[in-house]
Amino acid sequence: QVQLVESGGGLVQPGGSLRLSCVASGTAFSIYTMDWYRQASGEQRVLVARITNGGSTVYADSVKGRFTISRDNAKNTVYLQMNSLKPEDTAVYYCNLKKSYGDFWGRGTQVTVSS
């Protein structure tokens, strides 16, 4: 059974940085594309960043140049380095793994950007 566990969220001031981690278990992690999504209060969940099994990356326009997604297949972990954080980055951040028969989600980690 696939399990995804996010960590690394917290309260940070505008302009600060955080690094989120997502550890996967129960699956062959290295062969899958991994995504980070976020969901702000009252809004839909949206894609923030994606990294393929080959290491190619895609970012939402709102985070380009500030966020970096990476993966360590030896640790079954995907990371999201978030720099120059803004109040509008406040959300619950989720990692996602897609298989042919469905999506798997973690429980999320709260990121709050506020002074």
Side-chain angles (χ1 to χ4, degrees):
Q1 182 177 354
V2 178
Q3 288 191 322
L4 302 172
V5 180
E6 302 96 338
S7 63
L11 173 64
V12 63
Q13 291 187 341
S17 297
L18 285 174
R19 188 176 82 154
L20 307 184
S21 301
C22 171
V23 179
S25 60
T27 189
F29 173 80
S30 65
I31 68 173
Y32 291 102
T33 291
M34 295 297 299
D35 295 338
W36 281 101
Y37 283 75
R38 68 186 181 189
Q39 186 169 18
S41 180
E43 298 185 12
Q44 290 189 331
R45 196 171 297 187
V46 296
L47 179 67
V48 174
R50 169 171 291 163
I51 186 165
T52 69
N53 58 357
S56 297
T57 58
V58 174
Y59 297 94
D61 287 344
S62 59
V63 307
K64 281 181 183 176
R66 300 188 298 121
F67 290 12
T68 302
I69 189 171
S70 61
R71 66 191 299 161
D72 184 338
N73 290 335
K75 296 182 178 180
N76 283 8
T77 302
V78 60
Y79 303 99
L80 186 68
Q81 177 67 45
M82 306 186 295
N83 298 329
S84 302
L85 283 160
K86 304 175 181 180
E88 51 263 43
D89 295 317
T90 295
V92 180
Y93 285 71
Y94 300 89
C95 66
N96 172 270
L97 183 155
K98 292 180 175 59
K99 292 198 173 189
S100 59
Y101 54 87
D103 282 309
F104 295 88
W105 297 91
R107 292 188 175 186
T109 186
Q110 174 71 47
V111 171
T112 302
V113 185
S114 175
S115 54

